[in-house]
Amino acid sequence: MLVAIDGPAGAGKSTVARAAADALGFTYLDTGAMYRCVALARLRDPGADPAALEIGLGERVTLAGEDVSEAIRAPEVTAEASRVAADPAVRAALVARQRELIAGGDWVAEGRDIGTVVAPDAEVKVFLDATPQERARRRAAQSGRSAAEVLAEQEERDARDRAREHAPLTAAPDAVILDTTGLTLAEVVDRIVNLSTTRRAARETGRTA
Ligand code: DC
């Protein structure tokens, strides 16, 4: 089974997807980390071929065996990730790899285009959202930066992610839109776990939900 979790930066996707995967006993896939690895590789070598990169995902994120878990979260890598994510060749290489990964087993995959492009057949699709102010507040609390500064950067990144020609950030028509503003993590995870168990039970009894 695949649970697709998409949405803008700061909507809580990573925390929610990780916790939902734990609660369901599914494997968590952070596709943003893959775009970040390509960004880091391109900052180091502008000619880096995304299809040839050895990206390792798990407790730690590795690039050709090097632990880059912290390096890929640096502000310059974050900005570059949003730029490389607009490159159709990068998207094609990463989407192919993501499809191979999720082909077997049970997954909670988090990104921007999981329910629309990577896995339009995902059994559960959730589009997580929150107000821009709330998203910036959460990111500022994590990084120790000011909410105003985070909000300005976030607006720029959101605009680029939503306006890009290839796989722009948008909710799949059949996604459940979940606004997390004012909800606790436990409440959001509960909703996703319930949705997933209901869909699975419906499939197993031959009905649709
Ligand atoms: O979720 P994140 O902040 O780690 O994502 C990093 C960048 O990659 C962000 O600009 C959006 C982009 N991205 C994407 O275009 N498609 C995905 N499936 C995941 C991330």
Side-chain angles (χ1 to χ4, degrees), residues 31-32 35-36 73 81-82 85 91 111-113 157 161 164:
T31 63
Y35 288 90
R36 287 170 180 273
R73 307 283 158 199
S82 158
R91 300 207 73 84
R112 303 292 193 288
D113 60 344
R157 206 148 72 94
D161 289 344
R164 70 176 173 230

Side-chain angles (χ1 to χ4, degrees), residues 7-159:
K13 292 187 304 296
S14 298
T15 315
V16 165
R18 221 180 274 272
D22 269 358
L24 289 161
F26 291 8
T27 311
Y28 164 62
L29 176 63
D30 176 2
T31 63
M34 300 172 82
Y35 288 90
R36 287 170 180 273
C37 280
V38 174
L40 180 62
R42 285 267 171 96
L43 286 171
R44 290 172 171 179
D45 168 11
D49 173 8
L53 294 177
E54 263 177 66
I55 299 171
L57 301 169
E59 282 294 303
R60 310 292 296 172
V61 179
T62 59
L63 186 57
E66 174 193 348
D67 188 334
V68 294
S69 313
E70 276 87 36
I72 59 166
R73 307 283 158 199
E76 66 274 19
V77 178
T78 301
E80 181 65 13
S82 158
R83 284 190 282 271
V84 301
D87 177 343
V90 171
R91 300 207 73 84
L94 295 189
V95 167
R97 214 175 279 186
Q98 290 154 15
R99 287 184 179 148
E100 273 169 33
L101 280 169
I102 60 176
D106 292 316
W107 294 85
V108 176
E110 171 223 324
R112 303 292 193 288
D113 60 344
I114 310 299
T116 48
V117 176
V118 177
D121 298 339
E123 268 183 276
V124 177
K125 295 184 190 178
V126 175
F127 191 86
L128 277 194
D129 214 343
T131 61
Q133 291 73 15
E134 171 69 8
R135 295 194 283 117
R137 195 191 59 72
R138 290 178 188 163
R139 292 234 138 170
Q142 278 168 359
S143 63
R145 296 160 67 216
S146 85
E149 194 186 340
V150 173
L151 183 61
E153 276 176 20
Q154 178 182 281
E155 276 171 355
E156 198 181 311
R157 206 148 72 94
D158 278 356

Side-chain angles (χ1 to χ4, degrees), residues 1-15:
M1 174 177 229
L2 173 65
V3 178
I5 301 190
D6 293 302
K13 292 187 304 296
S14 298
T15 315

